[in-house]
Amino acid sequence: MKLAPLFLLCLAALPAPAAVNFRTQLWPLLAKNCVDCHRAPHKDPSGKLVEPKGRLRLDGAALILKGGSEGDAVVAGDPDKSSLYQRILLPPDHEDVMPPKGKGKMFSFDDSELLKQWIIEGASFGDWKGLDDGPPAALKKPAPKAADPLSAGATAAPEAAKEAVRQLGALVTPVMADSPLLRVEWISGASQITDLQIDLLAPLAGSLAELDLSDTKITDAALASIAKLPRLTWLNLNNTAVSDAGVAHLKTLTNLSYLNLHSTNVSDAALTSLAPLRKLRQVYLWKTRVTPSQAATFAKSIPDLKVTID
Ligand code: HEC
């Protein structure tokens, strides 16, 4: 038997490496480190209008592709021509480095590699749209009838409720253009958020679908309130003090598909509480007390569930 064809067959059977997912892997990095300065014109606390820096907005797919005052920020397939990538690579004291010197945390090596890989793969945003300038009001089409029951039954959050959450330093955005569903995350100041503030999310229960509480100071008590946000599909609790007792509350979140418990105090008992959440597809358990064997058993107990433990 010839060896070469067999070898080729084996190669063909290898799964292709997963493409970088903008929504889950890159957007959180941009939201945290860049969007504060590169977002829609807004008023600062003194009432002064603040324009996006370098006329570049990074809070929407179309806006990222539009580029800034120096032209393209992203050239699909070409990291060398993509200033978005080039600027984060500059030495920390370079005058053009992003975020500017002393104005935020630089991308780690792994994160910059991720951004580079995403550009090489064609800079696809997948289903992520973020914000856009929108067509003029008169041309605005009515929101498309959403096929999924989650958006269909969603109620637009009261402006005052959204504003109250923004006052806590959160970024409150639609999960997709024209969607009534909301995403809440902290670009900065996450460490100021404690259980006390979590109750302010309750008025958003009709529309809150994605919630990033990573690096906040919440404890198990907050998860009792979060359990009353039935539309949550995406929840990030990375690097918080939550434990098994808190996770036990989450069994009401039957729409949850992404749950990040990386660097928390959870153990195997948490997995028992998560068993009824049949829509879970991704669970992160790195740096927890969950044992690899229980993680593996759990992964097999829900169809298409991917559990990451290391
Ligand atoms: C503290 C505010 C601040 C933060 C945070 C910040 N930027 Fe900037 N950015 C600026 C300013 C000011 C300019 C315009 C001056 C210049 O070109 O250096 C700019 C310009 C840019 C440009 C060039 C736009 C153009 O066409 O002129 C890119 C690309 C960019 N930033 C990317 C980023 C990325 C990526 C991040 C996050 C890692 C980031 N920025 C974070 C303030 C900021």
Side-chain angles (χ1 to χ4, degrees), residues 30 33-34 37-38 53-54 56 58 68-71 73 83-84 87-88 95-96 98-100 103 107:
L30 295 182
N33 302 302
C34 318
C37 293
H38 294 285
K53 298 286 185 273
L56 173 66
L58 296 175
S69 55
E70 291 170 3
S83 63
L84 190 75
R87 292 272 194 141
I88 64 166
E95 61 172 331
D96 290 337
M98 288 295 143
K103 297 279 174 60
F107 267 43

